[in-house]
Amino acid sequence: MKIGIDRVGFATTSLFLDLKGLAVARGVDPNKYLIGIGQSEQAVIPPTQDIVTLATQAAAKFPKAELAQVSTLIVATESGIDNSKASAVYVKHLLDLDDFVRTVELKEACYSATAGLQFAKGLIALNPNERVLVIGSDIARYGLETGGEVTQGGGAVAMMVTANPRVMVFGDTNVVMTKDIMDFWRPLYRTEALVDGKFSTQVYIDFFQACWQRYRQLTGRTLADFEGFLFHLPFTKMGRKALVSELGDREDEVASRYWNILAASQIYSRRVGNLYTGSLYLSLLSALNNGQLAAGNQLGLFSYGSGAEGEFYTGTLVAGFENFIDHPDKFLDQRRQVSVAEYEQLFNQQLGMKSEDITFDVSHDPAEFVLAGQTDHKRVYQRK
């Protein structure tokens, strides 16, 4: 049975920060951000948006008739809003899904959306009529004037998983690796993450190499068998570092193909920033929209979550995939640029761990789904 991704939707906010301006404000050479990190713009998250509204906006782009058939909803995130109630329950309500649906939230840093896809694959293998909605939704926060500030961002990628998919068929062999490593974490008492940047980058590369080499041992496949690799991109330079670890200074046709796919996959991440659980799948969406890909092309995907877990798996593109994916270029072009001062103000206004009642002015947020505030310790969502 062929199982895989049937649709892809994407959502981020209507605001962005130009990282050249941030570099000037922080007294940093702009090329450190633009070239050294590989980022040019960053999504700015107003207090009226959170992982629930972003996830809902991404999934709401799918036809209502298909959403009505969803049997399981999985939201993968490391930006949870409640230690008990799954964000998927709120998303289910806002999407007006049937009550007879399974809802769950998954967590393992940036990796868990991949786990969600694999769980969906298992459900559908047991019952081909299952339609599973998997959403990676996150807001990356490291804090103002911190080393990780340039790798912030936010958004959601929604993926419908079905039998006989119309975007990408999952391969049969996966390699998963887990080790207890403190390269990135966020204790319960913090809204901003803690990270050992250089260490985390090296762990990422080590996990990629370990998973890819084991995949080669299990299958006998080589680089020549794929059109290219897609990477989890917390910042776009990370993907380059990983690919260099495999290609080195190789300059043949195969290497050229891989570099072209990587460049195509980096375009949206360069403009949006870090999506944590959604980053690999924003990379996929970017490659599908901007790369020279065709039906039958096989892709390798490397998913990574700090702490740490990695997975290498593969997918084969389906004829007509371009008709079942989001095309966010126009939306990204129409976002409003904010100043560094406005960005800092919005950053500090997010609900976070505040316990008091609060009402947000949603009139300036053009999104269909918004967080209107908090009353009696309960988040209040609205569909405008």
Side-chain angles (χ1 to χ4, degrees):
M1 183 193 309
K2 294 181 179 180
I3 301 172
I5 299 173
D6 189 66
R7 283 192 183 272
V8 182
F10 166 66
T12 188
T13 71
S14 62
L15 307 175
F16 78 95
L17 177 67
D18 186 328
L19 293 183
K20 288 183 291 185
L22 180 65
V24 171
R26 301 295 184 247
V28 174
D29 180 351
N31 285 333
K32 181 178 179 180
Y33 292 172
L34 302 179
I35 300 174
I37 302 296
Q39 298 298 121
S40 58
E41 299 171 356
Q42 183 178 107
V44 173
I45 316 299
T48 49
Q49 292 295 311
D50 68 2
I51 61 164
V52 168
T53 59
L54 291 167
T56 306
Q57 268 131 209
K61 296 183 178 183
F62 298 164
K64 291 183 179 180
E66 294 179 13
L67 288 173
Q69 299 172 32
V70 167
S71 54
T72 296
L73 167 59
I74 299 171
V75 174
T77 187
E78 58 178 279
S79 310
I81 59 169
D82 191 286
N83 287 326
S84 177
K85 185 173 182 177
S87 53
V89 175
Y90 296 100
V91 176
K92 175 264 177 194
H93 173 72
L94 290 171
L95 288 174
D96 197 26
L97 301 186
D98 191 275
D99 287 345
F100 294 99
V101 61
R102 179 186 295 108
T103 58
V104 69
E105 179 175 310
L106 298 182
K107 179 179 73 177
E108 199 328 89
C110 301
Y111 162 76
S112 59
T114 298
L117 293 179
Q118 302 309 322
F119 297 163
K121 181 180 178 181
L123 288 169
I124 295 164
L126 290 171
N127 181 359
N129 294 320
E130 291 268 355
R131 182 176 288 271
V132 183
L133 177 56
V134 179
I135 310 173
S137 185
D138 270 300
I139 297 171
R141 287 173 62 94
Y142 296 94
L144 303 176
E145 301 187 62
T146 64
E149 182 178 31
V150 67
T151 62
Q152 297 180 144
V157 179
M159 295 165 284
M160 192 74 79
V161 184
T162 67
N164 301 313
R166 295 171 291 185
V167 175
M168 186 177 77
V169 176
F170 296 142
D172 294 328
T173 303
N174 297 42
V175 175
V176 186
M177 179 177 177
T178 301
K179 290 186 177 182
D180 186 359
I181 297 175
M182 297 301 291
D183 60 329
F184 171 107
W185 67 105
R186 181 170 67 83
L188 290 175
Y189 52 82
R190 290 180 61 94
T191 57
E192 288 78 45
L194 298 168
V195 61
D196 184 338
K198 291 184 178 179
F199 179 47
S200 187
T201 297
Q202 189 57 55
V203 174
Y204 176 107
I205 294 171
D206 291 346
F207 270 54
F208 162 62
Q209 278 295 330
C211 291
W212 163 236
Q213 297 306 329
R214 182 167 176 79
Y215 178 87
R216 289 184 62 183
Q217 293 169 3
L218 292 173
T219 65
R221 305 187 75 192
T222 69
L223 291 175
D225 295 308
F226 297 93
E227 191 67 19
F229 286 170
L230 301 174
F231 295 94
H232 163 58
L233 297 178
F235 55 93
T236 64
K237 195 66 173 288
M238 186 75 98
R240 179 177 179 81
K241 290 175 183 289
L243 197 52
V244 165
S245 76
E246 179 62 22
L247 293 178
D249 58 2
R250 184 172 170 174
E251 295 182 349
D252 58 8
E253 184 275 333
V254 171
S256 177
R257 193 169 73 227
Y258 274 70
W259 286 118
N260 287 339
I261 293 300
L262 177 66
S265 73
Q266 293 172 321
I267 291 173
Y268 295 156
S269 296
R270 188 181 298 277
R271 301 189 63 185
V272 176
N274 196 348
L275 266 64
Y276 286 160
T277 53
S279 288
L280 170 60
Y281 301 102
L282 184 59
S283 172
L284 169 63
L285 182 63
S286 187
L288 295 178
N289 273 301
N290 301 294
Q292 301 300 311
L293 292 169
N297 285 164
Q298 297 195 44
L299 299 170
L301 296 91
F302 176 63
S303 182
Y304 176 78
S306 294
E309 188 163 1
E311 181 165 352
F312 182 87
Y313 72 102
T314 63
T316 303
L317 297 184
V318 179
F321 67 81
E322 63 275 4
N323 298 314
F324 302 96
I325 62 173
D326 205 347
H327 305 285
D329 299 83
K330 183 177 180 180
F331 176 83
L332 293 176
D333 290 342
Q334 293 177 340
R335 293 175 301 168
R336 180 173 71 85
Q337 181 178 338
V338 301
S339 66
V340 173
E342 184 178 358
Y343 144 72
E344 292 177 341
Q345 182 182 38
L346 292 170
F347 186 93
N348 288 324
Q349 286 178 349
Q350 287 192 26
L351 184 56
M353 294 185 177
K354 297 182 179 71
S355 61
E356 65 271 16
D357 289 357
I358 187 170
T359 300
F360 294 132
D361 180 1
V362 301
S363 64
H364 300 292
D365 190 333
E368 180 179 2
F369 301 95
V370 294
L371 172 62
Q374 179 172 270
T375 301
D376 194 22
H377 305 286
K378 302 170 187 174
R379 291 193 176 211
V380 179
Y381 295 102
Q382 291 181 4
R383 183 172 189 171
K384 296 172 67 178

